[in-house]
Amino acid sequence: MLFRREVLEGIAGGRIDRVFRVWGKPPVRSGSTQRTWAGIIVIDSVTAVSPEEITEEDALRSGFDDRAALLTALSKSTKEGGYHRVMLHLGPDPRAELAANADLTDQELADLKTSLDAVDTRSRRGPWTREVLRLIEEHPGLRALDLAERLGRDKLPFKADVRGSRPSASPKAWRPVTGSPRAARPSWPTCGL
């Protein structure tokens, strides 16, 4: 699902808790989530509605001035299908809890090393995961383009590699894997990937 910037701002600000879409078959369902720049959007429900079921409150809570403006916007859709009310909210970002958890059990650490070894083994360019993790740790917040340049790699293949192998542990927990003695914990999600 795509959201306009003003809709995401409204969701983040608590002014918008529903959107309307024209769909033949909804591509989202209750319980699905979507990561956006505003945070994690949680889909609470998806309900097929007729124009008569759309209320003035629906319009206001979806960012429109009134019901007529919402119905006009929906009628201009070029998509085939019926109207759907999608109730949603901004949910907690699981990355925050993940970033705070640096205490791995011996088994979790072994699993992390095994996962990284498997990625390195499958790679055509040879081992690279620990070097990238070290670089991210040394330069938290550095954009993917800058990280790729420091490694002499093209940005898109670099991003594809990293996205496909993100470890499910806090960067602080990587230290035994990367051999880094750094004390400060970087934030994986802010590295611009």
Side-chain angles (χ1 to χ4, degrees):
M1 244 171 55
L2 298 176
F3 296 98
R4 293 185 329 271
R5 181 173 195 82
E6 59 268 18
V7 171
L8 286 174
E9 289 170 350
I11 294 169
R15 297 180 306 279
I16 294 178
D17 65 2
R18 64 198 75 181
V19 295
F20 287 81
R21 296 290 190 263
V22 177
W23 287 322
K25 181 180 178 190
V28 296
R29 59 184 164 74
S30 178
S32 19
T33 60
Q34 182 172 342
R35 187 182 316 257
T36 70
W37 65 262
I40 303 293
I41 303 293
V42 178
I43 307 300
D44 297 314
S45 65
V46 180
T47 309
V49 294
S50 68
E52 296 75 29
E53 294 174 288
I54 297 175
T55 67
E56 194 69 30
E57 181 182 1
D58 282 331
L60 297 175
R61 298 297 296 167
S62 61
F64 287 86
D65 291 333
D66 55 35
R67 181 177 178 272
L70 171 56
L71 290 173
T72 298
L74 288 171
S75 71
K76 291 180 179 178
S77 173
T78 59
K79 296 182 180 174
E80 301 268 335
Y83 296 165
H84 291 81
R85 177 189 299 120
V86 181
M87 301 298 293
L88 45 75
H89 70 277
L90 194 61
D93 190 337
R95 295 176 299 177
E97 181 181 334
L98 181 63
N101 179 20
D103 300 323
L104 295 181
T105 66
D106 289 342
Q107 184 59 52
E108 289 169 328
L109 182 58
D111 291 345
L112 178 57
K113 288 179 179 180
T114 300
S115 294
L116 293 174
D117 289 342
V119 170
D120 285 341
T121 299
R122 288 189 308 268
S123 174
R124 286 186 222 150
R125 75 178 42 82
W128 61 270
T129 58
R130 286 158 178 86
E131 179 183 18
V132 169
L133 292 177
R134 241 188 318 276
L135 188 61
I136 291 170
E137 185 177 23
E138 291 168 2
H139 305 281
L142 199 60
R143 296 176 316 141
L145 176 61
D146 298 322
L147 290 169
E149 285 176 357
R150 286 175 183 258
L151 294 170
R153 295 199 47 204
D154 291 330
K155 177 185 170 185
L156 293 179
F158 172 76
K159 287 176 75 168
D161 282 348
V162 174
R163 282 186 173 153
S165 64
R166 284 189 179 182
S168 59
S170 162
K172 191 175 191 179
W174 305 338
R175 287 195 194 99
V177 176
T178 62
S180 172
R182 288 180 52 97
R185 180 176 64 228
S187 175
W188 176 274
T190 62
C191 70
L193 298 176

